[in-house]
Amino acid sequence: MASFFEKRDPWGHNLSLWVVVFMIFITPVLAGVLREIRQENNVENWLPPDDPQSKVLAWHRKSFGIEDRILVSWEGSSLTDLRAERLKTLLMGTADEKGIRHGGSPYIQEVVTPQDAIQRMVEYRIEPEEAQERLKGVLLGTGMLKIRLTEAGKKRQEQTTQELIDKAKSELGLVLTVKPAFKEWVEMVDESEEAETIKEPIDEDEEQVDFKELVASIPAHDFQVSWSRMQPDAELTNQLKQIALSLTRPSILPEPLAASSEEKTDSTPLVQPTLIEDCFFATGTPISISIALSNPGDADHGAAVDAVKAAAFKAGIPAESLHIGGRPAAGAALNRMVKKSSWDTDYPAWQFHKRSVTLFSGLIGIALAFFMLRSIRLSCIVLLVSYFTTFVAVSVVPLTGGTMNMVLVVMPTLLTVLTLSGSIHVANYWKHAAHVNIKTAVVEAVEMARAPCMMASLTTAIGLASLITSPLSPVRDFGLYSAIGCLISLLMVLFGLPSLLQLWPAKPPKASEIDTRNWQKLGNALSRHQMMVSLSCLMLFAVSCYGFKWFRTETKVIKYFPDSSRVIQDYLFLEENLSGITPVDTVIRFDKNAQDNLNFLERIELVRKIQSRIEEHPEISGSISLADFRPVSEPLPEGASTFQKLRHAKRVNETERRVRESLESGTAKSFLHLADREVVLEQETANGARSVPVNEGDELWRITSQVAIMTDLNYGDLTRDLNQVTQSVLRDHAGTTHIVTGTIPLFLRTQEAVLESLIKSFGLAFAVIAVVMMILLRSPLAGLITMLPNLMPIGVVFGLLCWMNISIDIGTMITASVALGIAVDGTLHLLTWFKIGIEEGKTKQEAVAAALGHCGPAMWQTSAAVAISLAMLYPADLLLVSRFGILMCALVTAALVADIIFLPALLAGPLGSLIETSLKKEAAADVPLLQEGKATMPHLQHAIKRAQSEKTFET
């Protein structure tokens, strides 16, 4: 039967021509499709909607009307800073006589300043100082550690400061940053022409808080210090305070004795005056503003963040002093960084390696192809096929309604290098065939490459497709689209590349270019020492795998940014000076029975008690609930008079009425919800899953706590602690229960899903590929042994990561299944030519040498091209892309070592014997059938294929 590349159309043209015409035709069509591609990097959408934690979070957000919020602060801000009110007005607009706002930003729904919150608390008869303390760690920060010097310290302030810096460095390992003492912000009218003075009308009926008095209450001090990951209540902070208070001047004599040195005796005491009088944190500076996004703002986080920055500049806040945090801010920064990894216009065109790390990675691979193939025309064809495959595969994403995400962004580079790998294999087959006969080279190259390339592409696709089992949507998308791209790559390697070679053939190679004597020598050496090599590789494999006992995962999006990025600097400022960025909510449920047993004020005090216990946790910077907007209620004393009871009941009823009236609008709507339908919520805890039923009419009280995201805090431990603290208070009150929800439990569930994905996807890929190997080698034991060189790269690289205590994130997780598929590529090529050698009657040592001689050059060339290309992703600012590149480089390198060292040693030993026995049995079974004329088509095809293989190998 004629090959595809030997056939002609009715007009006498090669079919290759129509393949190339089709490629040219679809190019402009797909280019238009690519313009419609969109990005989606919302971590809350990673889990499927039917996941229990996703259901709880969705119910929680709908019940309390929670919107995405941005936290804004700036250096030197305080409660007397007029820029806070200006920023609010610029974002919200000004209200007319009917209360309708004009101007403002369409991306913003609500702006809450600490001044607003304190003013609201004061209206409910809470003292301003108490209100300020309740907002600590939420909207008000304690700022840096403030240092007050003694008179002796003031006389030598520079030396004292330097001594404190040196001691903190030597004894605690802290690098202190020293800043001047806090100064109240004073408006300079001519300071900025851009600053706009916009004032809201003041309601004269309201009791106005004297914020100047609150700021003036901050104790006097001489300078401030801060350090990385600073936390006011941490043990490290207390140690630094002790060091500071222990600083003294060098020993001196008392003043009366200093004047007359001859009066000095051995008993004269030496005076060591202290240098630092006090060191403390003070609530009130800096301040932060909480900004809720509208529906348009939630749909476009980047535009919302830009609107906040523009308004802050108009309000007179310098851009370098502004700090923005929150999930929308991180999401917008992530989208920008994902785009920049593809094309960053901040760098000039001549700095191409920085302008586009992904494109530069692909170009490095192509440059390596030029070097290795030693043919400009052949390299250009390989380049064209590699990039065209990536172009088509990426176009599938918008064609199917998909979106790009931070995981999928590495797919183009991966497909480029995978296609490059297959193309180099085919190009090497073509060079061997063209050295004999240039006219039949394309047909013979495709015939030689078809079986191993198909098996390699299919096994790689299986490894990628196994990721579809993941509950995480970015991983599923990556697995699906990459598997599709792998099949497109196979078509291009077996049809696109040969078609271009047939229409535009390269020059036949020189004899020196296909000299494989060194590879055959390596094969002979490995065969002679196969036992030692095999045991060494197994030992390395086992020691590396021992590191899995320290395996851990990481899913915080903020961890994908480099420390030098602006978003990291913003988060560090906010968490070191103000509050934790990540909210975790504890929802307290009171059913009808609990509402009857506890009056409204008692329920408020119970919530306040739980909140107070939660705030004692060292990782909680602060919390807020409806109880913060109510004064503390004293319980009715025993033996109270009838008048006292009636008065207390009236106060309870009046408080409940006012709160319930404000559920539609006002403060209460975000902290108290009356259930309007029945629902059963499922939540995983340290003691297993538990159900929390919510019935119509139940009261749901929300306590929001702020937690740092930049620390190495174990969110599982935090969630368990919050459950225990809350349960310890509620256990004595029938009809009460609680549930912990928010972003932190979602992160915890996502971490678990990462681990589940890694195990399930890798297990499935291993099982399917192992079955394929068993069928291919016609021996279950041989199939399992063959998987050892394919498992070794993953075991060694991931095991060493665990040894080094490096967490596995969503980007590194996907590399395991990908690497398994890539490792099988070289294995299949080597096995194919080893079997051919055995079928020719060669010994195992001769077959190993011949197989390495034939496959070795292509294997190291493809591995070098892939590994070095992917290593070029390492400088990417987005750490997910950077880690993916360097980890894939390590895995591909380890796979090369396994395929050219470990596998040949196994083939020269027991694995080769199993394959040899299997082939002899198969050949013996075919002989009588051929002699008797009873052979079926598979038997005939196998005999013909064996004869062709022998002829090809001899050639």
Side-chain angles (χ1 to χ4, degrees):
M1 184 176 176
S3 167
F4 175 85
F5 299 99
E6 294 176 313
K7 295 180 181 179
R8 296 182 177 272
D9 63 14
W11 299 278
H13 302 127
N14 287 328
L15 296 185
S16 300
L17 175 64
W18 295 107
V19 173
V20 176
V21 168
F22 176 75
M23 292 168 59
I24 296 172
F25 174 76
I26 66 170
T27 299
V29 177
L30 297 181
V33 171
L34 277 177
R35 294 177 182 174
E36 304 300 322
I37 201 165
R38 297 178 296 107
Q39 285 201 68
E40 173 59 51
N41 285 304
N42 188 350
V43 67
E44 292 187 5
N45 295 336
W46 285 9
L47 292 170
D50 59 349
D51 185 89
Q53 191 58 55
S54 293
K55 286 182 177 179
V56 171
L57 187 61
W59 165 85
H60 175 61
R61 288 184 175 275
K62 184 177 181 181
S63 298
F64 292 96
I66 302 171
E67 310 91 357
D68 268 334
R69 288 185 174 269
I70 295 174
L71 201 64
V72 177
S73 182
W74 56 95
E75 298 171 20
S77 58
S78 66
L79 289 171
T80 56
D81 196 329
L82 301 180
R83 294 174 291 184
E85 189 61 33
R86 289 178 185 165
L87 178 58
K88 176 182 176 181
T89 305
L90 286 166
L91 292 173
M92 293 293 294
T94 54
D96 59 17
E97 298 175 353
K98 297 180 180 180
I100 301 174
R101 290 190 172 270
H102 300 278
S105 171
Y107 302 109
I108 307 303
Q109 179 171 314
E110 181 187 28
V111 178
V112 178
T113 66
Q115 292 91 333
D116 294 335
I118 291 175
Q119 185 67 53
R120 182 63 58 86
M121 291 178 181
V122 169
E123 291 174 12
Y124 290 105
R125 302 186 301 279
I126 299 172
E127 293 298 321
E129 293 78 11
E130 174 63 20
Q132 179 180 246
E133 190 63 23
R134 291 183 181 186
L135 290 176
K136 183 178 75 172
V138 181
L139 292 177
L140 291 176
T142 56
M144 294 180 280
L145 181 64
K146 296 167 178 60
I147 307 294
R148 183 165 64 242
L149 300 174
T150 62
E151 288 301 322
K154 290 179 180 179
K155 291 179 181 178
R156 56 193 307 273
Q157 181 168 337
E158 289 187 9
Q159 296 91 324
T160 301
T161 303
Q162 188 59 48
E163 188 174 350
L164 178 61
I165 293 173
D166 294 340
K167 280 210 168 189
K169 176 67 175 177
S170 61
E171 297 185 21
L172 301 178
L174 294 179
V175 179
L176 299 184
T177 300
V178 179
K179 292 290 182 71
F182 165 73
K183 281 189 177 182
E184 184 179 355
W185 178 77
V186 178
E187 182 177 17
M188 303 295 292
V189 177
D190 297 328
E191 184 179 23
S192 173
E193 297 179 359
E194 297 291 337
E196 297 185 8
T197 305
I198 304 173
K199 294 184 179 180
E200 287 280 327
I202 298 175
D203 188 345
E204 297 181 357
D205 295 333
E206 293 182 355
E207 179 185 354
Q208 297 301 312
V209 179
D210 188 355
F211 293 111
K212 286 186 175 294
E213 183 178 344
L214 289 176
V215 174
S217 66
I218 297 177
H221 52 284
D222 297 284
F223 62 91
Q224 304 177 89
V225 297
S226 66
W227 58 93
S228 179
R229 311 300 198 269
M230 178 179 68
Q231 290 181 299
D233 299 326
E235 178 62 27
L236 195 62
T237 303
N238 294 328
Q239 293 175 4
L240 179 65
K241 288 181 179 180
Q242 293 173 5
I243 290 175
L245 295 174
S246 67
L247 293 181
T248 58
R249 280 185 61 183
S251 302
I252 60 173
L253 290 171
E255 289 186 6
L257 297 181
S260 179
S261 59
E262 58 270 12
E263 297 181 16
K264 178 184 174 182
T265 65
D266 293 340
S267 60
T268 302
L270 297 178
V271 178
Q272 292 180 315
T274 58
L275 301 175
I276 295 179
E277 179 181 346
D278 195 8
C279 43
F280 54 88
F281 292 95
T283 305
T285 176
I287 64 172
S288 67
I289 297 175
S290 178
I291 302 172
L293 303 184
S294 62
N295 289 333
D298 190 45
D300 191 346
H301 290 166
V305 171
D306 290 341
V308 171
K309 290 180 178 179
F313 181 71
K314 288 184 178 180
I317 303 171
E320 62 275 10
S321 299
L322 183 69
H323 300 284
I324 301 178
R327 194 177 66 84
L334 183 61
N335 285 339
R336 286 196 302 271
M337 198 157 284
V338 168
K339 289 180 180 177
K340 285 185 176 182
S341 66
S342 299
W343 192 254
D344 188 357
T345 55
D346 292 343
Y347 293 101
W350 57 271
Q351 289 185 323
F352 189 76
H353 62 290
K354 293 184 177 180
R355 173 166 274 205
S356 177
V357 292
T358 54
L359 195 56
F360 180 70
S361 170
L363 290 179
I364 289 296
I366 298 303
L368 290 170
F370 274 89
F371 173 74
M372 294 171 180
L373 295 175
R374 301 180 185 180
S375 168
I376 295 178
R377 187 174 300 183
L378 193 57
S379 300
C380 286
I381 292 174
V382 168
L383 179 151
L384 179 60
V385 169
S386 300
Y387 275 100
F388 186 80
T389 299
T390 304
F391 174 70
V392 175
V394 174
S395 302
V396 175
V397 177
L399 275 174
T400 55
T403 57
M404 289 295 288
N405 55 58
M406 61 183 180
V407 180
L408 205 56
V409 74
V410 300
M411 182 186 74
T413 302
L414 176 65
L415 291 178
T416 299
V417 295
L418 282 177
T419 309
L420 184 66
S421 173
S423 299
I424 289 177
H425 272 293
V426 173
N428 272 279
Y429 289 149
W430 179 88
K431 287 169 69 175
H432 280 277
H435 183 65
V436 178
N437 187 349
I438 188 68
K439 294 182 180 180
T440 60
V442 169
V443 176
E444 291 187 12
V446 173
E447 287 298 320
M448 285 189 287
R450 181 181 291 113
C453 283
M454 285 184 65
M455 293 300 299
S457 294
L458 290 176
T459 50
T460 304
I462 289 170
L464 291 164
S466 67
L467 297 171
I468 299 175
T469 61
S470 170
L472 302 175
S473 57
V475 178
R476 289 199 308 273
D477 290 346
F478 179 83
L480 175 62
Y481 290 118
S482 296
I484 293 173
C486 198
L487 297 178
I488 294 172
S489 173
L490 175 62
L491 292 175
M492 290 302 301
V493 167
L494 293 183
F495 290 94
L497 177 65
S499 296
L500 290 168
L501 270 174
Q502 195 168 42
L503 295 177
W504 193 33
K507 294 181 180 179
K510 299 176 182 178
S512 59
E513 295 181 29
I514 55 174
D515 184 10
T516 60
R517 283 175 295 180
N518 291 331
W519 286 99
Q520 293 180 21
K521 289 179 181 178
L522 175 62
N524 289 324
L526 291 171
S527 297
R528 288 194 300 270
H529 306 286
Q530 59 89 15
M531 182 63 71
M532 183 185 68
V533 173
S534 299
L535 290 176
S536 299
C537 291
L538 287 172
M539 181 66 71
L540 174 62
F541 188 20
V543 171
S544 300
C545 287
Y546 184 75
F548 281 107
K549 66 179 294 184
W550 298 290
F551 184 91
R552 60 192 179 98
T553 58
E554 175 63 79
T555 57
K556 298 175 185 176
V557 172
I558 197 66
K559 295 291 187 179
Y560 299 146
F561 296 93
D563 290 341
S564 59
S565 64
R566 181 57 190 266
V567 66
I568 290 291
Q569 298 305 312
D570 286 351
Y571 268 60
L572 287 176
F573 174 86
L574 292 171
E575 293 195 344
E576 292 170 1
N577 295 276
L578 195 78
S579 72
I581 296 294
T582 307
V584 57
D585 286 354
T586 305
V587 178
I588 313 299
R589 167 184 166 265
F590 296 94
D591 65 9
K592 294 289 182 65
N593 183 34
Q595 293 175 46
D596 292 337
N597 294 333
L598 298 169
N599 64 48
F600 195 76
L601 290 181
E602 289 173 334
R603 299 199 291 275
I604 289 179
E605 293 310 310
L606 186 60
V607 171
R608 194 192 309 276
K609 183 178 180 180
I610 295 172
Q611 181 182 352
S612 176
R613 293 285 301 276
I614 288 175
E615 288 181 344
E616 293 174 1
H617 196 286
E619 299 295 342
I620 302 292
S621 68
S623 65
I624 191 167
S625 71
L626 186 61
D628 285 319
F629 294 87
R630 301 288 158 179
V632 177
S633 301
E634 296 295 334
L636 194 65
E638 294 184 7
S641 65
T642 303
F643 175 75
Q644 287 176 316
K645 291 179 180 178
L646 290 173
R647 184 178 178 183
H648 182 73
K650 180 180 179 181
R651 186 156 64 93
V652 170
N653 293 333
E654 181 65 18
T655 301
E656 184 172 8
R657 182 187 64 80
R658 288 182 177 179
V659 170
R660 296 204 175 218
E661 284 179 354
S662 66
L663 287 180
E664 295 299 324
S665 61
T667 307
K669 68 176 182 177
S670 297
F671 298 107
L672 177 62
H673 174 67
L674 300 180
D676 53 3
R677 62 187 179 90
E678 294 185 2
V679 63
V680 177
L681 304 173
E682 301 288 339
Q683 187 170 50
E684 291 287 338
T685 67
N687 299 321
R690 69 183 182 97
S691 299
V692 179
V694 176
N695 301 313
E696 187 175 354
D698 288 354
E699 273 187 1
L700 302 168
W701 296 66
R702 173 187 171 217
I703 303 172
T704 299
S705 308
Q706 298 300 123
V707 184
I709 197 173
M710 299 302 297
T711 64
D712 294 327
L713 168 67
N714 186 315
Y715 283 164
D717 294 341
L718 174 65
T719 305
R720 185 190 63 246
D721 293 345
L722 293 180
N723 278 315
Q724 291 176 348
V725 164
T726 308
Q727 191 59 41
S728 67
V729 178
L730 294 179
R731 65 163 58 103
D732 298 327
H733 301 278
T736 63
T737 187
H738 77 285
I739 194 166
V740 177
T741 184
T743 307
I744 282 181
L746 188 74
F747 277 150
L748 184 59
R749 172 67 189 112
T750 307
Q751 283 182 331
E752 294 171 352
V754 167
L755 182 57
E756 291 173 13
S757 299
L758 184 60
I759 295 173
K760 286 182 179 179
S761 62
F762 184 75
L764 178 61
F766 174 81
V768 174
I769 294 174
V771 170
V772 171
M773 287 295 184
M774 292 176 188
I775 295 173
L776 183 66
L777 299 178
R778 292 173 175 80
S779 170
L781 183 57
L784 288 175
I785 295 176
T786 304
M787 292 303 294
L788 285 176
N790 300 319
L791 287 177
M792 182 181 168
I794 295 116
V796 170
V797 174
F798 276 83
L800 291 177
L801 286 178
C802 296
W803 271 106
M804 293 185 289
N805 203 29
I806 297 176
S807 298
I808 305 300
D809 59 33
I810 194 172
T812 55
M813 185 217 79
I814 62 177
T815 60
S817 297
V818 174
L820 181 61
I822 292 176
V824 174
D825 186 353
T827 300
L828 285 168
H829 282 281
L830 196 67
L831 282 175
T832 299
W833 290 99
F834 175 80
K835 289 171 64 179
I836 291 174
I838 295 297
E839 288 174 345
E840 290 182 328
K842 288 181 170 60
T843 63
K844 289 188 297 181
Q845 180 173 343
E846 292 171 342
V848 166
L852 263 182
H854 194 92
C855 299
M859 287 168 63
W860 92 263
Q861 288 173 9
T862 55
S863 297
V866 170
I868 296 174
S869 298
L870 289 169
M872 293 301 104
L873 295 176
Y874 182 71
D877 289 336
L878 185 60
L879 295 184
L880 184 140
V881 176
S882 174
R883 291 169 186 163
F884 176 85
I886 199 65
L887 187 58
M888 281 300 301
C889 173
L891 286 166
V892 171
T893 303
L896 174 64
V897 174
D899 280 335
I900 66 174
I901 302 295
F902 191 19
L903 181 57
L906 291 175
L907 288 174
L911 177 59
S913 298
L914 288 171
I915 295 174
E916 191 175 27
T917 302
S918 175
L919 289 175
K920 286 180 179 179
K921 288 181 179 179
E922 185 180 345
D926 289 344
V927 170
L929 293 175
L930 290 170
Q931 292 175 343
E932 297 173 11
K934 297 179 180 180
T936 60
M937 184 57 68
H939 294 102
L940 292 171
Q941 288 177 340
H942 180 71
I944 294 170
K945 181 180 178 182
R946 187 160 62 245
Q948 289 177 337
S949 297
E950 293 174 4
K951 179 181 177 181
T952 302
F953 193 82
E954 289 171 0
T955 302

